[in-house]
Structures are given as structure tokens and as C-alpha cells.
Amino acid sequence: MSATPQKNRATRRVLAAAAGLATVGALVAAMPAGAQDRGHGHGHGHKPRTVDVQLLSFNDLHGNLEPPAGSAGNVSETQPDGTVKAIPAGGVEYLATSLRTARKGNPYSVTAAGGDMVGASPLLSGLFHDEPTIEALNGLDLDVTAVGNHEFDEGAAELARLQNGGCHPVEGCYEKGKKFKGADFPYLAANVTKEKTGRPLLKPYTVWKKNGVKIGFIGVTLEGTPDIVTANGVKGLKFHDEVETINKYARELDRKGVKSIVALIHEGGAPASTSYNYDCDSPGAGDGISGPIVDIAKGITPKVDALVTGHTHQAYVCTVPDPSGKPRMVTSASSFGKLYTDTTLTYDRRTKDIVRTSVKSANHVVTRDQAKATDMTRLIDRWNKLAAPIASKPQGWISADINGRGSTAPEKPLGNVIADAQLEGLAPADKGGAEVAFMNPGGIRADLVHKASGSEGDGVVTYGEAFTVQPFTNMMNVVDLTGAQLVTALQQQVSGGNEASPKILQVSKGLTYTLDLTKSGADRVVAGTIKLNGEAIDPARTYRVAMNEFLAGGGDGFAALGEGTNKLVGASDLDLFNAYLAAHSTAAAPLAPPATDRITVIQ
């Protein structure tokens, strides 16, 4: 990337504007009647009353520079005959091409993201504290992003370094003579303040300007970020209500004369269909979407014209009514760069506001049958050379795909492997004496894919692939919990904060129970069925339980797991996973996908 990205970006936009001027008249002519100005002139120095601004957006990239492997790299598309087709998608070489192609003929184009650009990243980015991803985003000409919860994985100081540049405080610079420059684009964190001063951690908003057109962007992460990030990551920070924060800064922007406002929100919903081309406004506005974003959208001031969301890794383009009852666009583009959203915002130069009735939006697949962006290929090759000595080391062998992230079942084959690896590694008396292990489903970031990712050969699991599955390198904990606390923890999977979207723990072999999804709340876990090695859990007995430090801190709404005592800290989750692969597989006898028979599900 050039040393003057901002200058190049401005040049590109000026050229794009010159190329696009001739099309403005055509754009206005094609607008809905309500969006057109009565009697605006063209030529003679008169600017048209309205101008179409193209908003390109995506979310939850998680450092996936290379196309995500296996089922995690597919998007679902409903065909005209009602069947659903899986389309391989993603990879920044293709995302760059998609965005650059989309921008052609659009002189007013702005690119925004909904958070989790980094964190839980594959080895290619994660090994280098996500510097490669920031560099790629600079090359994609990202204009602005909200922070997500994963931007806090390594704490506020590391987030500031990603924004401002500078080499890693412990590992230094990765390339000789090259200092990390940081992000060209602002990270927005309107609802994150410093406990000591009460001041925002980063900029709450930014204003994009072009030829008198002004659009304000406010960025927030979910208020519950501290519940899903390790305690160290959010130390000294306060996270505030998304709606109150956005409304506050929308008023401030409005007072400054910025009437067109987009909220970037790292929180989302679940559409009724996983197909990216599902119409979630059928039959009525927003009928086909549920989850936290619905109430958030209904509470955000009508001053905000569109909501770009994320976090749930779902694909949707919906309208949800604002507090005045008017429909407003709410979008999300899946994850890992597999989709991007193209939204048309019609800007009225007289009112300086967006004509809401003419907002149009659609998700598009980042297909892998288009040309690769050569600058992104060079970037990936450069970092891959640095990562290769570590990434390519074989850790074990598998006989077929073992699905984790790509599995939609409550009990995932790869979840069983991970939990078994944790139990085996921590069962010896001197390692903690674990009797059972729990793994949080959100911590499984990929599938183990049988097909070779490089030159290692089919069935070989490399260190890079294992890292991609478990990228947090959480330290393992073994704690004392009573049987009563164990039962409560299992009930917390489907009650309290997890009732609306259950988080089903992956359990080690020997633990069995029935999950009855026809019931509601804690009753979904059928208490009388919970057994360890065939024996009913004794509420009064103490059990030694293994889990990563995130769960042991009560993360993901598992307060009962945070009550453990007599803690012993063990190896990292990744080390135990790799040790298990080495102990249980050879080239001649690879590890097969395990049965998923620990949780009996009634639906």
C-alpha cells in the first residue's frame, strides 16, 4: 500500500466523481416520484436537488483474509423453485473486487462496517495481532467502522494501537524496517467510556463529506460486551445503552447541521431464513426478523436514516419501524466477508436529509468466480511467508470434515472433540483432576476440513488450521463446582440472557442429558436426565470442572460457572487441542468425526 493512502483515496474519488457526473441526471430521472425535485435544472451551474449516495457495508470479518474453509465459507441462496443452494464465498481478494466493481459509476460512495473486523482471526492475521487485516481494510478503502466486542479481546491499549499504529509492545515490528501504520479509517465507540474520566474511549461519530453532501456515522458495540469478552479486555471501561447513546449523538449531529445519519451497531438479529436473499419484510415490515436489534431499531430516534448491524453473523435486509412508525432500513451482511450490502441513500440537498421512502438495499454474494484483487493477493502472500514456518506444522490427521462453526446442531462434532481434549489434558491429578469439561460454542471459530488448505495433503490438520478453530489461546481453568451449580449452569444455557438465543455448551464424554426445546426457559434442560458416567448428578457433591478462562469468569451468561473455587490454571485450550490430535490420530489411523449422542434433543 502507498505511503499516502488518504491522498490516493481522494484522487480515486475525484476521478470517480468526474466519471460519474454524466450519470447523475440518469440517477435522478430513475428515482421514485417523491424523491425528485420539482423543476431542478441540469447544467448552467445548477446542482440537482437530490443525489444518490451509495453505502457499501459489511460486518464480522474476523480477520478472514483468505476464503473461509468448509461449510463456514458458504452462503445459502434460495432458488426460484424454493430449493436452497450453498455458494462458496468470501476472501478479501474477492471482497476488494466486489467493492471496487460496485463503486463504478457511483460518484458518491461510502464504505462502512459493523464491527468485529478483527479478533478470533485465523492464524494468518491472528499471529500478527491483526495487523494484516487492518492493512487489508486500508486497501479496501473502508471509510469507517464501529467497534465490536472482539475489538476488545486484547484490551483498550491494543485497540488504540490498531487505530493509531506503532509496533506491538511485546513482539515488536514483524517486518524489518516497517512500522505498522494503523487504520486509515476511524474506529467509532460512542457507547464505550473510560471509568476514570467518563470520556469516550474513541471517537463517537464521524462525518463523511463530499461536494456539500454530509452523512454522519455513529458507531456502537453491544452494551453486553463485558459479558462476552475476558475481564482483562474491558478493564477500566464502561459500556452504555445502545439506544440512549445513539439518540444522544444523533441530537448532537443534528444541532451541527448534519441531518443524514447512519448508525453502525455491533448487535443484530436472526432472520426466519438463513438464505441471504430472504425477504424478511414478507408479509409485513420486519416480520421475519427477531432478536435484540428489533427493540433497538424501534427505540432509535427517527433522525437516524439507516442501521448497519452485525454480531449475529446473519444476512438480512429488513425494514423495522422507527419510533414515529416510519419504516427504516436495517441490514447485516453475514460474516467473514462472504457478503456485502449495497444501500442507496437519496440525499436531499435542500433539507440535507435522506429521503427515507426511496432507501433501497440488497445483499450481494462475494463470489469466488470473479477476478482476484492483485494487491490483496500480494498482501496475503507477504504475510503467509512470515507465518509459514509455524502455520504449516502438522498436528494430526482426520478422516472427514469435523464440523464446528458450520454445524447448526446444539451438539457439534468438533465441540465434542474440543471438550474431550480439555478433559483428557486436565484429568490427571497434578493437572487439576477434571471430571468433566465445558466448551462455549461461540469459541469454536471454524470447522476442521479434510481437504488440504495448502500443500500439506488431504486430512492433515496443520497448526494454522487448529489455530483457526481456537484462536483465542484462552488459558484453561479447573475449578470446584457443586452438583447444584452444575445443574444451574446447564439451565443458564437456555434461560436468563440466553433464553432468546440459547448458548449450548459442548460437553465432554460421560456427561449426558435431555434438552427439551418444546418447553421454555430453564425447564428446557430436563433436570432428572443429567448424568455423569451414568450416575445422576448429586447436588451436594463437589465436582472438578474444566473450562476456559472466559467461561470460568462467568462469560456468555454462565454466572454459575463463575462461582467456581479452588482454581488451578492449566495449559491453553489450543495446546490441549493439539496434544489431543497428536495422541489420537496418525496418517494410517486418522481421527473420525465423533458421534453426537451426549445431548438428546426434543424439538
Side-chain angles (χ1 to χ4, degrees):
M1 174 126 202
S2 151
T4 54
Q6 297 288 7
K7 183 165 169 262
N8 284 358
R9 191 180 299 187
T11 310
R12 179 178 67 72
R13 289 195 180 136
V14 169
L15 291 170
L21 281 176
T23 66
V24 172
L27 287 173
V28 173
M31 267 176 214
Q36 289 195 37
D37 176 32
R38 289 181 298 283
H40 56 238
H42 296 288
H44 314 296
H46 291 294
K47 283 180 176 167
R49 161 100 183 240
T50 58
V51 59
D52 275 358
V53 177
Q54 178 189 55
L55 170 62
L56 300 175
S57 58
F58 57 96
N59 49 278
D60 296 277
L61 181 65
H62 290 288
N64 279 261
L65 302 181
E66 295 175 297
S71 56
N74 291 336
V75 293
S76 299
E77 180 181 76
T78 299
Q79 305 302 299
D81 66 359
T83 57
V84 177
K85 181 179 172 187
I87 301 173
V92 293
E93 293 160 297
Y94 304 113
L95 180 61
T97 300
S98 287
L99 294 175
R100 288 164 188 172
T101 304
R103 287 177 188 135
K104 283 176 184 160
N106 288 287
Y108 293 84
S109 184
V110 57
T111 304
D116 277 7
M117 293 295 98
V118 300
S121 305
L123 186 88
L124 175 61
S125 187
L127 189 62
F128 306 106
H129 296 276
D130 282 311
E131 289 181 22
T133 296
I134 298 295
E135 198 178 292
L137 292 169
N138 289 343
L140 290 175
D141 286 329
L142 183 63
D143 289 293
V144 58
T145 183
V147 293
N149 51 291
H150 282 282
E151 264 80 17
F152 294 93
D153 284 347
E154 295 187 42
E158 176 62 3
L159 173 55
R161 186 182 79 89
L162 291 181
Q163 177 72 84
N164 302 320
C167 297
H168 192 269
V170 177
E171 292 172 32
C173 300
Y174 294 110
E175 295 175 288
K176 207 174 175 185
K178 263 192 184 178
K179 190 179 164 198
F180 173 58
K181 292 191 175 72
D184 287 349
F185 50 90
Y187 258 115
L188 304 181
N191 66 332
V192 187
T193 57
K194 297 174 189 171
E195 269 176 0
K196 277 185 182 164
T197 63
R199 294 174 65 83
L201 175 69
L202 295 168
K203 283 170 70 164
Y205 60 79
T206 189
V207 180
W208 179 86
K209 298 175 187 160
K210 177 153 187 184
N211 297 342
V213 173
K214 286 193 283 193
I215 298 180
F217 288 89
I218 303 167
V220 298
T221 184
L222 68 154
E223 187 184 3
T225 291
D227 303 329
I228 52 175
V229 173
T230 55
N232 278 343
V234 294
K235 208 172 179 180
L237 302 176
K238 278 190 90 163
F239 292 76
H240 304 272
D241 181 89
E242 305 94 339
V243 175
E244 286 171 18
T245 304
I246 291 167
N247 290 351
K248 170 184 156 184
Y249 287 112
R251 285 193 299 274
E252 191 172 309
L253 282 166
D254 189 56
R255 281 198 304 273
K256 290 182 172 181
V258 179
K259 309 292 183 187
S260 298
I261 303 171
V262 174
L264 309 174
I265 308 172
H266 192 70
E267 178 59 290
S273 162
T274 55
S275 290
Y276 81 91
N277 56 342
Y278 164 68
D279 178 8
C280 68
D281 284 347
S282 173
D287 277 354
I289 186 171
S290 59
I293 199 62
V294 178
D295 285 341
I296 290 172
K298 286 177 179 171
I300 289 174
T301 170
K303 292 183 198 299
V304 174
D305 298 295
L307 277 53
V308 171
T309 73
H311 188 55
T312 56
H313 291 207
Q314 303 293 313
Y316 48 84
V317 172
C318 305
T319 56
V320 176
D322 70 15
S324 72
K326 291 197 181 113
R328 175 169 53 195
M329 198 59 81
V330 180
T331 69
S332 173
S334 182
S335 63
F336 301 170
K338 293 182 289 190
L339 297 176
Y340 71 92
T341 314
D342 188 337
T343 302
T344 303
L345 300 172
T346 302
Y347 182 92
D348 186 323
R349 288 182 187 275
R350 196 171 297 169
T351 64
K352 298 181 181 171
D353 208 347
I354 300 301
V355 183
R356 277 256 217 106
T357 50
S358 61
V359 174
K360 291 184 212 60
S361 194
N363 274 326
H364 301 277
V365 183
V366 176
T367 58
R368 298 184 197 167
D369 57 4
Q370 58 187 323
K372 293 179 178 183
T374 52
D375 57 331
M376 293 295 150
T377 305
R378 283 196 303 273
L379 181 149
I380 288 169
D381 289 349
R382 208 180 87 233
W383 288 102
N384 260 332
K385 280 195 182 77
L386 288 174
I390 293 170
S392 58
K393 280 185 183 157
Q395 303 298 310
W397 290 263
I398 55 173
S399 64
D401 288 3
I402 304 180
N403 282 350
R405 193 81 190 175
S407 166
T408 54
E411 181 184 349
K412 305 170 194 309
L414 190 49
N416 287 357
V417 173
I418 291 168
D420 288 352
Q422 295 176 354
L423 177 63
E424 185 170 296
L426 301 170
D430 62 334
K431 302 282 192 234
E435 298 167 81
V436 63
F438 291 137
M439 174 63 193
N440 55 308
I444 306 168
R445 304 305 299 187
D447 303 334
L448 277 187
V449 179
H450 185 261
K451 190 177 182 339
S453 58
S455 57
E456 77 275 11
D458 289 352
V460 178
V461 179
T462 63
Y463 184 87
E465 289 163 343
F467 183 98
T468 299
V469 168
Q470 295 224 272
F472 299 107
T473 49
N474 270 316
M475 300 315 289
M476 291 301 299
N477 289 184
V478 187
V479 299
D480 282 351
L481 287 171
T482 65
Q485 288 169 319
L486 267 188
V487 172
T488 301
L490 291 173
Q491 289 170 333
Q492 286 170 345
Q493 300 177 109
V494 288
S495 62
N498 292 333
E499 179 155 8
S501 57
K503 290 191 171 78
I504 305 303
L505 295 165
Q506 307 299 289
V507 299
S508 55
K509 63 174 181 263
L511 188 79
T512 55
Y513 70 94
T514 297
L515 185 66
D516 187 348
L517 296 177
T518 66
K519 294 181 175 166
S520 62
D523 290 341
R524 292 175 187 164
V525 173
V526 185
T529 64
I530 307 170
K531 292 180 179 176
L532 182 59
N533 302 321
E535 287 183 18
I537 295 286
D538 177 353
R541 196 196 131 190
T542 297
Y543 295 85
R544 293 291 283 163
V545 185
M547 65 193 97
N548 59 42
E549 59 191 326
F550 168 65
L551 279 179
D556 267 353
F558 291 101
L561 296 181
E563 294 164 5
T565 57
N566 195 16
K567 179 168 81 175
L568 185 139
V569 177
S572 76
D573 50 8
L574 180 61
D575 287 346
L576 293 182
F577 184 47
N578 284 329
Y580 186 85
L581 290 171
H584 291 273
S585 69
T586 62
L591 182 70
T596 49
D597 54 5
R598 299 169 190 184
I599 305 170
T600 303
V601 181
I602 300 171
Q603 280 176 318

